[in-house]
Amino acid sequence: MPRSQRNDNFVDQTFTVIADTILKLFPASQREKEAFAYYRDGMSAQGDGEYAEALSNYEEALKLEDNAYDRSYILYNMGLIFASNGDHDKALEHYHQAIDLNPRLPQALNNIAVIYHYKGEQSEDEEAAEEFFTQAAEYWVRAVRIAPNNYIEAQNWLKTTGRADINVFF
């Protein structure tokens, strides 16, 4: 039974009914509708912490989805799962794929920066750590340029470490 038919709480049931109604009325191909159903089920499973089920649904959605913008969000969500499971390299791979499809996805840019910053903090090699911090700075600058009111902690880190001019963001 598809996850969309198993939702227990009122909010999930309401969202499912509204999404199904919109999907029926929206002029989309059957393939696009199936891709969206898998994506929606993946998001629901991810929200419930059922990461294996979510990844399975996202993989099916990727097989069906042709739109680059929509694919970027599927890949982004897959990256979230890999990052939460500690598989940073696989998360980076998915975030980079998402950025390739949608360069204006600041949350993916931010998450890439967070991983590079974490790797810099964990590195015992000063030179390698510095390279990770440089990469983190590059991605945070890109994210902040797209969403200047977000990522305040990253902006503070960029300013206090001298990795970005305070006037860059204004």
Side-chain angles (χ1 to χ4, degrees):
M1 172 185 303
R3 174 171 278 279
S4 59
Q5 295 175 1
R6 295 188 318 214
N7 290 331
D8 298 348
N9 71 48
F10 177 75
V11 173
D12 284 345
Q13 287 176 350
T14 303
F15 172 76
T16 300
V17 168
I18 292 170
D20 286 342
T21 302
I22 291 171
L23 198 55
K24 287 176 187 170
L25 298 174
F26 193 72
S29 71
Q30 185 60 33
R31 182 181 175 98
E32 291 168 321
K33 290 177 182 183
E34 286 179 35
F36 177 76
Y38 279 114
Y39 177 67
R40 182 190 61 215
D41 287 349
M43 287 180 24
S44 177
Q46 186 174 357
D48 290 343
E50 300 291 339
Y51 297 140
E53 181 182 345
L55 284 172
S56 176
N57 279 301
Y58 290 145
E59 287 167 3
E60 290 301 317
L62 278 176
K63 290 177 189 173
L64 297 167
E65 185 58 64
D66 294 324
N67 181 285
Y69 184 82
D70 293 340
R71 288 178 64 83
S72 72
Y73 280 93
I74 296 168
L75 291 162
Y76 168 75
N77 282 330
M78 292 174 81
L80 288 175
I81 292 171
F82 290 119
S84 70
N85 288 334
D87 191 344
H88 296 134
D89 292 333
K90 212 160 195 168
L92 284 171
E93 177 185 326
H94 284 78
Y95 291 143
H96 282 291
Q97 288 178 38
I99 294 300
D100 288 344
L101 295 172
N102 181 3
R104 297 194 53 80
L105 193 60
Q107 57 269 47
L109 294 165
N110 175 65
N111 290 0
I112 290 169
V114 167
I115 291 172
Y116 284 141
H117 185 268
Y118 173 79
K119 286 182 173 218
E121 287 182 328
Q122 298 303 307
S123 180
E124 294 179 15
D125 177 355
E126 254 184 71
E127 195 172 307
E130 186 59 30
E131 180 57 33
F132 284 129
F133 290 140
T134 298
Q135 289 177 305
E138 290 172 15
Y139 282 95
W140 267 325
V141 166
R142 288 175 61 188
V144 169
R145 282 193 176 135
I146 295 168
N149 295 325
N150 297 350
Y151 316 116
I152 302 303
E153 287 182 38
Q155 291 183 49
N156 288 336
W157 179 81
L158 288 165
K159 292 171 193 170
T160 59
T161 61
R163 294 179 186 276
D165 181 14
I166 191 168
N167 299 320
V168 168
F169 308 120
F170 300 103

